[in-house]
Amino acid sequence: MLAIHLTQFGEPEKSLKVVDVPAPPAPTAGQALIQVEYAPLDHHDLLLAQGIYPLRPELPTAIGNEGVGTVVSVGPDVTEVRPGDRVLLPFGVFSWSAQVVAKAADLSVLDKSISLDQAAMLSINPVTAGLLVGLRDLPAGSWVVQNAANSGVGRSVIVFAKERGLRTINIVRRAELVNELEDFGADVVVVDSADAGARVREAIGSDPVLLGLDGVSGTATALLLDVLTDGALLAIYGYLSGRPFTPAPDALKTKNITTTEFWMYQDEFLPRLPALNAQSARLVAEGRLVLPSAPVYKAADFPEALVYFRKNGKVLLDFNPHRA
């Protein structure tokens, strides 16, 4: 069967290979055999391939941090899933392989009304957003500020914040995104510029802003620090700028701002993942959360998919050999 293996940590164009490997063995007690349908190629996958992600598996191995599949068969005494169920692949089961075996108890069964492309992207960006929004217990009506607001995480933050009765300040890089995100449910949207902080204050007055979400880092963090108020928490969850978190020396002390580096698979968050998977699926099924679309490439065409990703962003890899 086909898989995409990481052969060494380093440059993804050289280290990620399309390979033919034996099919996994039949599932044993407590296990399910799954046909992988779609699995995303995203920024965090390449971080893992480069060796700078917190997870460093033994090589060679398939990678891929999320995906959706169909249960093919189950082992003895499995009651959680049955053949034909559509499921999210759980943490620790790498998705870049035509078939995988997983613990049945770790699988989240999905409503088949959710399209495969939306299902494939459910278990990281929306769940990350749900965890980020819950980092502080804020009263209804409180403000949350974020950059990377047009990303998959950013759009999910808007929805999860609204679920909690919170309001969002959203920083984007292109003016054409302002109306789009407002239509999506964002409360305040500003384009990153020299006067962006002042424009935020015009919109929200003297209200406190006690939670900031940084998916860009580098120089982009400065605007978040400008907007945040005394005693705020700033969570750094991404490095889209390719640069580290480097605030001005006194920026944090002046406002008594606490910072934390966020990774969704920290031990404290793992027990919450199944419930957030279910909540994400419900929001998508209800049409309240729509994840950014991505083109689909056959897994055998991974090199072309990687070229597209480098230029344009996320793609979906199709691992079902029976789909035209």
Side-chain angles (χ1 to χ4, degrees), residues 143-324:
W143 291 100
V144 178
V145 61
Q146 64 166 340
N147 54 28
N150 188 51
S151 67
V153 172
R155 286 173 175 259
S156 298
V157 162
I158 293 169
V159 175
F160 274 88
K162 200 166 289 292
E163 282 277 286
R164 290 173 172 263
L166 305 177
R167 296 179 289 178
T168 56
I169 302 161
N170 302 274
I171 299 165
V172 296
R173 290 182 294 175
R174 305 193 311 274
E176 61 268 25
L177 293 173
V178 173
N179 290 338
E180 182 178 336
L181 288 186
E182 288 175 344
D183 291 343
F184 192 71
D187 296 287
V188 174
V189 187
V190 297
V191 178
D192 192 349
S193 60
D195 66 341
R199 286 186 285 118
V200 169
R201 277 296 145 200
E202 288 177 7
I204 72 170
S206 59
D207 289 355
V209 183
L210 296 175
L211 179 61
L213 309 176
D214 187 359
V216 182
S217 200
T219 58
T221 307
L223 178 52
L224 295 179
L225 295 176
D226 184 28
V227 172
L228 291 170
T229 52
D230 188 66
L233 172 67
L234 175 63
I236 302 97
Y237 72 89
Y239 299 88
L240 291 176
S241 68
R243 298 178 181 179
F245 171 62
T246 53
D250 296 328
L252 302 178
K253 292 182 180 179
T254 301
K255 293 183 178 179
N256 190 31
I257 293 174
T258 302
T259 65
T260 182
E261 287 197 274
F262 171 91
W263 188 50
M264 67 178 290
Y265 298 123
Q266 291 168 233
D267 289 344
E268 64 183 294
F269 298 137
L270 291 179
R272 297 177 57 191
L273 300 188
L276 283 168
N277 279 334
Q279 184 179 11
S280 300
R282 174 179 60 81
L283 291 169
V284 169
E286 293 172 353
R288 299 165 64 190
L289 175 61
V290 179
L291 304 175
S293 61
V296 177
Y297 282 78
K298 283 292 187 181
D301 298 325
F302 178 78
E304 291 87 344
L306 184 54
V307 170
Y308 179 93
F309 172 83
R310 291 294 200 187
K311 295 179 180 178
N312 303 288
K314 179 179 286 190
V315 302
L316 297 177
L317 301 171
D318 181 356
F319 281 91
N320 191 330
H322 305 297
R323 193 176 6 254

Side-chain angles (χ1 to χ4, degrees), residues 13 42 44 55 62 65-66 87 99 103 114 136 170 179 188 193 225 241 248 251 290 297 302 305:
E13 282 77 3
D42 208 345
H44 46 256
L55 187 65
N65 287 305
E66 62 181 332
V87 294
Q99 293 188 339
K103 291 183 180 179
I114 301 173
R136 292 201 67 169
N170 302 274
N179 290 338
V188 174
S193 60
L225 295 176
S241 68
V290 179
Y297 282 78
F302 178 78

Side-chain angles (χ1 to χ4, degrees), residues 63-82:
I63 61 170
N65 287 305
E66 62 181 332
V68 63
T70 301
V71 175
V72 175
S73 61
V74 297
D77 301 322
V78 168
T79 58
E80 296 90 348
V81 297
R82 59 187 180 182

